[in-house]
Amino acid sequence: MTVSDEARDKCTEITANITYLELSTYPGYMDSFVAACFLPHTDARLFPNSKQEI
């Protein structure tokens, strides 16, 4: 149930413009995604001001 006709129309517009994009088919995407899940990041060059413990 929508709150208003305007809200229903906006939802319809949004769903009509959705594009599915399978990111895992892009070379290197999964490596970048998994690396970004870790704190600290696996690429310390992206955070030069962070202290790295050894």
Side-chain angles (χ1 to χ4, degrees):
M1 178 177 174
T2 57
V3 177
S4 67
D5 290 338
E6 182 181 344
R8 184 191 67 240
D9 293 343
K10 187 64 177 176
C11 289
T12 302
E13 176 188 346
I14 290 169
T15 58
N17 290 307
I18 291 175
T19 299
Y20 179 79
L21 182 62
E22 182 60 56
L23 294 175
S24 64
T25 62
Y26 286 85
Y29 171 78
M30 289 306 292
D31 292 334
S32 296
F33 175 78
V34 171
C37 291
F38 294 98
L39 292 175
H41 196 279
T42 56
D43 187 351
R45 293 174 298 148
L46 296 175
F47 300 93
N49 296 325
S50 66
K51 182 179 178 182
Q52 300 291 319
E53 293 186 21
I54 299 175

